[in-house]
Amino acid sequence: MTQKVALVTGAARGIGLATAKLFIEQGWLVALVDRDGPELATATRDIANARGFEFDVSIPEQVDQMIDEILTAFGRIDAVVNNAGVADFLPIEETNFAAWRRIMETNLDGVFLVSQAAIPALKETKGAIVNIGSISGLRASTLRVAYGTSKAAVIHMTKQQAAELGEYGIRANCVCPGPVKTKLAMAVHSPEIISAYLDAMPLNRYGSETEIAEVVTFLCSDKASFVTGQIIAADGGFENVGVGLPALRK
């Protein structure tokens, strides 16, 4: 098979699903991975050139099986997009170890496990890894001790991947979204928080899932063939200015 194949985790909704759909528009085949089986089935029902794979990226045995099944189905992997993630926004003193581990095992362990398991396949195709970080990993922010730390670690892991895998022709980059208009964000962001975000962002608006997907697919494409080890904030300029949102502290 010569058609390129992308593996996208956390692909049943949001940025992951938007990325999968954009890959397909650009002529790729896509393996959509998510641990939410019913949502994954709904997401893949009417999508051509794609298959859903129900696995939990935080469990090593499941990750190994996932890679085997994707290679059996598609024969190759040209790009891995580590998008699966969870969040729990709590003050430091209210973040117990169980909450800390729940975030780390998906946001950090999952990126490590999926990337490592895919390396042999990526060596064959001289493929690309794109990890989804966050501006919360680029700078400290209220209520994000676990989430922000997990994303900061993903940013550094990306640099390690680029440094160590470049000799095999494998590129690794990280996209750090800012406020994005997802269903989850709109459900938890109060009008006060939304107003504060807009005031703090030079572009004065939330981003869309597709806008993040455009950056991800570019980094996986041949157009970015000399780009590796880069951390790109797709955030409307938010990381570039300001120091936080008072609305989040109330």
Side-chain angles (χ1 to χ4, degrees):
M1 297 177 64
T2 58
Q3 195 170 5
K4 288 190 174 183
V5 176
L7 185 171
V8 182
T9 70
R13 59 178 65 79
I15 292 171
L17 181 56
T19 300
K21 289 181 176 179
L22 189 56
F23 268 125
I24 292 167
E25 287 181 20
Q26 295 172 357
W28 292 57
L29 302 174
V30 182
L32 290 83
V33 176
D34 207 287
R35 65 186 178 188
D36 187 339
E39 192 73 16
L40 184 63
T42 298
T44 56
R45 183 177 300 142
D46 299 319
I47 300 178
N49 296 326
R51 279 188 55 180
F53 296 84
E54 183 182 348
F55 290 102
D56 188 329
V57 298
S58 71
I59 301 173
E61 297 78 13
Q62 289 199 26
V63 171
D64 290 339
Q65 183 181 351
M66 174 193 77
I67 294 295
D68 288 342
E69 290 193 13
I70 291 171
L71 288 173
T72 297
F74 293 111
R76 60 188 290 161
I77 298 173
D78 297 85
V80 172
V81 179
N82 286 304
N83 171 72
V86 296
D88 195 353
F89 300 138
L90 296 169
I92 290 176
E93 67 270 25
E94 295 178 19
T95 302
N96 59 36
F97 188 65
W100 173 274
R101 281 305 312 152
R102 184 179 70 85
I103 290 172
M104 292 297 170
E105 67 185 11
T106 296
N107 294 10
L108 182 57
D109 299 351
V111 173
F112 171 75
L113 292 170
V114 173
S115 299
Q116 188 178 60
I119 286 173
L122 292 173
K123 283 183 178 180
E124 294 291 329
T125 59
K126 298 187 186 304
I129 297 170
V130 174
N131 301 319
I132 304 301
S134 169
I135 57 167
S136 293
L138 290 169
R139 69 181 191 191
S141 182
T142 311
L143 308 181
R144 284 159 173 77
V145 63
Y147 180 78
T149 301
S150 74
K151 293 301 187 178
V154 166
I155 288 168
H156 186 76
M157 189 191 306
T158 302
K159 296 178 180 181
Q160 289 290 149
Q161 291 169 339
E164 297 190 30
L165 301 177
E167 65 182 286
Y168 306 114
I170 299 173
R171 298 179 298 105
N173 294 287
C174 183
V175 175
C176 295
V180 176
K181 195 172 183 179
T182 64
K183 289 182 179 179
L184 176 61
M186 293 301 98
V188 300
H189 288 185
S190 66
E192 185 180 16
I193 289 174
I194 293 172
S195 178
Y197 271 130
L198 296 181
D199 287 343
M201 295 166 64
L203 290 188
N204 196 37
R205 66 176 177 84
Y206 277 52
S208 72
E209 296 162 348
T210 300
E211 286 178 307
I212 307 303
E214 291 279 7
V215 181
V216 173
T217 58
F218 165 73
L219 290 171
C220 292
S221 75
D222 292 339
K223 293 179 180 179
S225 58
F226 202 51
V227 180
T228 193
Q230 299 307 299
I231 313 303
I232 300 175
D235 66 348
F238 186 36
E239 193 270 335
N240 192 52
V241 298
V243 292
L245 301 176
L248 292 176
R249 295 197 290 270
K250 296 180 181 179

